[in-house]
């Protein structure tokens, strides 16, 4: 139990993590930023345009400056993400707005060099770039806040959703029953429980590898196999090439727990739980499947699945897919994430 105690101490001493705002490498962020800038340019081009043809011309000219400037901002923010996220929140805001001003000057310079903007509106371009950058930074800021709760109360609520109290009591009862008959197995159960709590109480990270999540899920299933015995039948089908894919921490274990709760627990004969991963080109597909011999079992509220889906989309945005299906007595969760 020493490792469990040290895990609690590490969690208690952990300082709040400051959310990083420069998450400009996501495809979804790039698309939204470009669409936002183009919408602003389209509205701005309406001023002074007497005819639709004038609007189209002005819109095309302004796009020639604003679009490269926006892409330059995103490329620099993505490339320097590691260093910019180390700044304090105020420093990140200032860096992003200053970068927007420079990007505005860059766009103005392109139009001036091509002879499409005479005279060059340097100050106006820098101000508009800084303003648009501030709006984009606001969106990234709230996205970061949603991804990584900073308040202690939010972290405690998240912890409660990760490990249910009755699971803890059942595990301890199983360990107590094994102490005299099989002390080595009892020690293994407590070590697995310790690692689960260490992971749940650890300082929240942005992402972990799929291999790490699989290791944690194996520990969880090892505990549940002591409780359910032959009623729990686990099948693994893992692709080694998929193990380095990134996903939010403690994402796989709640899906496996959900499969046991609604597949194994309600059935006297038990059920089969299958976890599979496969890498296809630039995508990794993860499936968690459980049979329900006695029907769908106790119908839940879908909170665990909704939490997993939301956290997955916050990390990978439009590059992630999350689907659930129940057919012929089999329930399956299917996820797609970037490789």
């Amino acid at each position: 139990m020493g490792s469990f105690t040290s895990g609690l101490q590490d969690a208690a001493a952990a300082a709040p993590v400051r959310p990083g705002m420069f998450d400009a490498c996501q495809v979804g962020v790039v698309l939204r930023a470009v669409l936002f800038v183009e919408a602003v340019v389209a509205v701005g081009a309406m001023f002074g345009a007497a005819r639709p043809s004038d609007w189209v011309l002005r819109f095309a000219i302004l796009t020639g400056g604003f679009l490269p400037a926006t892409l330059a901002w995103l490329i620099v923010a993505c490339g320097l993400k590691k260093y910019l996220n180390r700044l304090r929140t105020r420093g990140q805001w200032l860096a992003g707005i200053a970068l927007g001003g420079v990007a505005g000057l860059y766009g103005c310079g392109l139009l001036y060099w091509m002879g499409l903007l005479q005279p060059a509106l340097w100050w106006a371009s820098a101000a508009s770039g800084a303003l648009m950058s501030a709006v984009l930074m606001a969106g990234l800021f709230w996205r970061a806040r949603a991804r990584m709760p900073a308040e202690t109360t939010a972290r405690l609520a998240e912890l409660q959703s990760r490990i249910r109290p009755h699971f803890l009591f059942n595990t301890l009862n199983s360990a107590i029953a094994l102490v005299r008959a099989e002390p080595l197995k009892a020690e293994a159960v407590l070590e697995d429980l310790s690692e689960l709590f260490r992971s749940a109480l650890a300082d929240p990270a942005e992402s972990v590898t799929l291999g790490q999540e699989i290791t944690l899920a194996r520990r969880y299933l090892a505990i549940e196999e002591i409780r359910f015995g032959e009623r729990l039948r686990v099948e693994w089908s893992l692709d080694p090439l998929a193990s380095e894919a990134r996903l939010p921490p403690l994402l796989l274990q709640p899906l496996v727990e959900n499969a046991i709760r609604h597949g194994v627990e309600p059935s006297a004969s038990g059920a089969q739980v299958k976890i599979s991963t496969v890498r296809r080109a630039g995508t990794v597909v993860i499936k968690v499947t459980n049979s329900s011999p006695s029907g769908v079992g106790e119908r839940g509220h879908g909170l665990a699945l909704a939490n997993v889906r939301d956290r997955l989309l916050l990390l990978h945005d439009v590059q992630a897919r999350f689907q659930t299906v129940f057919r012929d007595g089999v329930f399956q969760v299917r996820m797609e994430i970037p490789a």
Side-chain angles (χ1 to χ4, degrees):
M1 295 293 288
S3 59
F4 174 58
T5 304
S6 63
L8 289 172
Q9 293 172 344
D10 293 342
V17 177
R18 186 169 54 251
M21 297 163 60
F22 288 93
D23 189 18
C25 302
Q26 296 287 345
V27 174
V29 173
V30 174
L31 290 175
R32 292 185 183 95
V34 170
L35 289 175
F36 165 71
V37 171
E38 287 297 281
V40 173
V41 170
V43 173
M46 294 179 182
F47 292 92
R51 298 183 303 274
S53 58
D54 294 337
W55 173 80
V56 172
L57 179 60
R58 292 171 63 88
F59 176 66
I61 293 174
L62 291 175
T63 296
F66 276 91
L67 185 56
T70 302
L71 294 177
W73 190 97
L74 292 168
I75 292 172
V76 173
C78 177
L80 299 179
K81 171 184 174 181
K82 179 179 179 181
Y83 306 101
L84 293 174
N85 281 339
R86 294 176 180 175
L87 302 174
R88 294 184 178 274
T89 301
R90 181 180 298 180
Q92 293 182 38
W93 276 98
L94 293 175
I97 293 174
L99 182 59
V102 174
L105 294 175
Y106 168 69
C108 179
L110 286 178
L111 294 178
Y112 179 75
W113 177 71
M114 290 185 293
L116 299 175
L117 185 64
Q118 299 291 339
L121 305 175
W122 300 110
W123 288 107
S125 298
S128 61
L131 180 60
M132 288 191 179
S133 177
V135 175
L136 178 58
M137 291 292 294
L140 293 175
F141 173 76
W142 288 112
R143 189 173 188 271
R145 288 288 297 270
R147 176 183 297 178
M148 188 177 294
E151 299 296 331
T152 304
T153 53
R155 291 187 61 191
L156 289 176
E158 189 177 359
L159 171 61
Q160 291 174 355
S161 68
R162 289 173 175 175
I163 297 182
R164 294 179 292 149
H166 86 263
F167 166 69
L168 170 62
F169 298 147
N170 289 334
T171 303
L172 292 178
N173 287 334
S174 299
I176 292 172
L178 291 170
V179 165
R180 292 186 178 179
E182 300 180 80
L184 293 180
K185 186 175 289 187
E187 182 180 353
V189 169
L190 293 176
E191 287 179 354
D192 290 334
L193 181 64
S194 171
E195 287 303 316
L196 282 174
F197 268 86
R198 177 188 291 275
S199 299
L201 291 170
D203 204 21
E206 182 182 64
S207 65
V208 296
T209 66
L210 177 57
Q212 291 173 307
E213 284 292 285
I214 289 173
T215 300
L216 197 64
R218 287 186 184 275
R219 288 186 176 274
Y220 171 77
L221 286 170
I223 293 174
E224 293 291 47
E225 285 174 344
I226 297 296
R227 176 186 170 194
F228 291 104
E230 295 182 355
R231 290 173 59 196
L232 173 57
R233 300 179 292 277
V234 182
E235 179 181 346
W236 295 89
S237 179
L238 304 178
D239 184 352
L241 298 178
S243 60
E244 293 303 316
R246 310 294 298 188
L247 67 166
L250 277 173
L251 193 82
L252 187 59
Q253 182 268 335
L255 296 178
V256 176
E257 181 179 359
N258 199 65
I260 291 177
R261 183 179 182 185
H262 299 288
V264 181
E265 284 187 3
S267 173
S269 60
Q272 183 182 55
V273 177
K274 181 178 179 180
I275 301 98
S276 66
T277 64
V278 62
R279 177 169 178 168
R280 298 172 181 169
T283 302
V284 169
V285 179
I286 307 167
K287 297 180 182 178
V288 179
T289 307
N290 67 275
S291 58
S292 299
S294 60
V296 297
E298 178 188 354
R299 185 173 181 83
H301 300 289
L303 296 179
L305 295 177
N307 177 268
V308 169
R309 181 185 62 249
D310 293 344
R311 294 174 62 212
L312 188 67
L313 294 178
L314 279 171
L315 178 64
H316 290 300
D317 208 346
V318 297
Q319 293 177 285
R321 297 288 186 273
F322 184 92
Q323 298 174 322
T324 61
V325 61
F326 180 77
R327 182 183 302 152
D328 300 329
V330 175
F331 181 81
Q332 183 183 91
V333 176
R334 186 180 189 274
M335 299 180 291
E336 293 184 20
I337 58 177

